[in-house]
Amino acid sequence: MLTRSLSFISIAASIAFPGTHAFSPSRGHAGRASSSLYMKPKGCAAKPLEKKKIAVFGAGGYLGATVFGFLQRAASLYGTGISAGSSPRAISATNGGAEALNKVLVSRFRLAYAGEDLMRIVDTSDINHIKDRLNGFDGCILGTTYQLEQRSVSLNTYEKNPNDKTFELYLDERYGVWEKNVPSDDADIHTSIFRNSVQACKEAGISHLLVVETPRTVRPMDFVKILEEEGVAYTYMRTMSALKKDKEHFEKGITNKLEVVRLPAGSSLASFDAQSSENEPAVYREDFAALIVQSLMTLDWGESRILEVSSSPGSTISSGYGGKMRKGLRFDRDWCPNSELMADVLSAL
């Protein structure tokens, strides 16, 4: 009887309001109804009770830290399919990564914080060392060419003597990094770190890799070939214009409905040409970070793909944050305001 009554209400609503559609909670906008046509997600949000644990390599970089912050918020909301507790996990080479991560979380995510339980320090030259710190996890976010900083190996981790040095990894960039005595962006160490990370993920049983092509990447095909050779399911994301940073909090949400083009896995990619893209509108790092997190919720983890991302001209969006905000406007139920727009873009691919 109850089923018939609900069916009747649904039919009556469609008659009374022609041209409308039934609303379902947007998995990317957990807990709220999306104002756009709802499409069922195929990623981790497809089965929200089977929560996925996600690790972020280079989380001390600004883009990595912003991704981490969005993951923390998404993990606190039902419907995203992202696990809380020991996830997300920040992967760095020294304690410097943890310090850099928390500086971003405190300033951009309303005093958010990542404790030691969410941090793991790895020896990037040792596949087994990386693997042991990924056991039990489901997905990983990796960078291609990280910003490197030479630092002392943190005590009581993997140092062989008190004077051991290593390179800290920053996904994208960290302001004020001392870049003296670091390899060039086209040095072999970048592909070595990447291959070791991918192999460790594979051996740890990671289901899906999300790889971010950073602005420092000289030869993107080197990294795509490694992914193809290792045979892991992956999403490779790259921007087709320069990245820039906003200075607001997460409440500002998505500021541009990005354009995303899907290419087949293994497609040939040319190096990013900063000069030829000078006239293209830049992509905000915060929007790109939100797209990265949303893709985990929306896209099928069993498939591999390459995504090219650019800013959408004339698609400026506002969450209402800042200045004289509307009374009653709240953001505690959003992992990122307007994220359902990203879900729509990805669902259409």
Side-chain angles (χ1 to χ4, degrees):
M1 184 65 183
L2 177 60
T3 303
R4 289 185 177 181
S5 298
L6 290 174
S7 299
F8 175 78
I9 292 172
S10 178
I11 294 170
S14 63
I15 294 173
F17 304 101
T20 63
H21 56 268
F23 289 103
S24 299
S26 171
R27 296 297 194 268
H29 205 58
R32 289 195 179 183
S34 169
S35 60
S36 53
L37 185 60
Y38 174 74
M39 299 181 72
K40 186 176 180 180
K42 297 179 181 179
C44 60
K47 297 180 179 180
L49 294 179
E50 299 178 10
K51 295 182 178 293
K52 305 295 186 183
K53 294 183 178 181
I54 313 295
V56 182
F57 281 67
Y62 183 77
L63 182 61
T66 306
V67 168
F68 189 95
F70 280 138
L71 284 170
Q72 270 194 314
R73 292 198 55 78
S76 69
L77 300 172
Y78 174 76
T80 62
I82 294 175
S83 177
S86 60
S87 171
R89 175 170 291 177
I91 304 294
S92 61
T94 70
N95 286 330
E99 175 190 347
L101 167 61
N102 278 314
K103 283 185 177 180
V104 175
L105 293 180
V106 168
S107 63
R108 296 290 188 266
F109 290 89
R110 297 296 183 190
L111 302 180
Y113 182 78
E116 290 185 1
D117 58 320
L118 299 179
M119 308 282 188
R120 292 295 185 274
I121 294 175
V122 302
D123 179 358
T124 57
S125 66
D126 187 336
I127 295 173
N128 287 326
H129 197 267
I130 302 172
K131 181 193 73 173
D132 291 344
R133 283 142 187 83
L134 295 175
N135 285 330
F137 271 64
D138 304 287
C140 274
I141 297 171
L142 305 172
T144 48
T145 302
Y146 299 96
Q147 182 184 42
L148 300 180
E149 179 184 30
Q150 189 176 58
R151 299 178 66 99
S152 297
V153 176
S154 301
L155 294 177
N156 301 319
T157 55
Y158 57 89
E159 77 278 14
K160 294 180 175 62
N161 64 69
N163 297 317
D164 270 357
K165 300 288 185 181
T166 189
F167 292 110
E168 181 57 273
L169 317 174
Y170 299 112
L171 180 52
D172 182 26
E173 64 177 19
R174 179 188 180 185
Y175 178 74
V177 162
W178 181 254
E179 294 192 78
K180 187 177 181 180
N181 298 325
V182 299
S184 62
D185 290 341
D186 60 352
D188 291 341
I189 188 174
H190 298 289
T191 52
S192 178
I193 291 173
F194 186 77
R195 186 182 290 278
N196 290 345
S197 301
V198 172
Q199 289 181 349
C201 289
K202 183 179 179 180
E203 293 182 16
I206 298 296
S207 302
H208 194 83
L209 299 181
L210 197 151
V211 178
V212 180
E213 182 183 302
T214 67
R216 294 172 173 267
T217 305
V218 177
R219 295 185 298 273
M221 285 309 299
D222 289 352
F223 301 94
V224 173
K225 288 177 180 177
I226 290 173
L227 292 168
E228 290 292 317
E229 289 168 3
E230 295 300 328
V232 293
Y234 68 87
T235 298
Y236 185 100
M237 299 184 71
R238 64 196 308 240
T239 59
M240 305 310 293
S241 55
L243 288 172
K244 67 178 180 180
K245 184 189 299 185
D246 201 344
K247 296 182 180 181
E248 298 286 356
H249 298 94
F250 82 91
E251 291 100 326
K252 187 173 182 179
I254 305 301
T255 57
N256 184 275
K257 187 176 180 180
L258 300 176
E259 293 181 351
V260 182
V261 175
R262 176 172 177 164
L263 302 177
S267 295
S268 180
L269 302 177
S271 300
F272 174 71
D273 186 349
Q275 289 186 339
S276 64
S277 65
E278 283 184 351
N279 296 325
E280 296 293 328
V283 173
Y284 277 108
R285 285 177 164 87
E286 295 79 5
D287 289 351
F288 191 36
L291 182 70
I292 290 167
V293 174
Q294 185 63 61
S295 69
L296 293 172
M297 303 181 205
T298 303
L299 301 179
D300 190 339
W301 283 32
E303 299 178 0
S304 293
R305 59 189 71 82
I306 294 174
L307 302 181
E308 295 188 331
V309 181
S310 57
S311 184
S312 180
S315 296
T316 303
I317 303 160
S318 173
S319 67
Y321 170 80
K324 295 183 178 180
M325 292 191 292
R326 174 171 56 83
K327 185 177 180 180
L329 188 62
R330 296 175 57 183
F331 301 98
D332 56 326
R333 298 178 184 176
D334 305 311
W335 69 266
C336 177
N338 298 324
S339 59
E340 74 277 8
L341 299 175
M342 296 293 193
D344 289 344
V345 170
L346 292 167
S347 295
L349 296 177

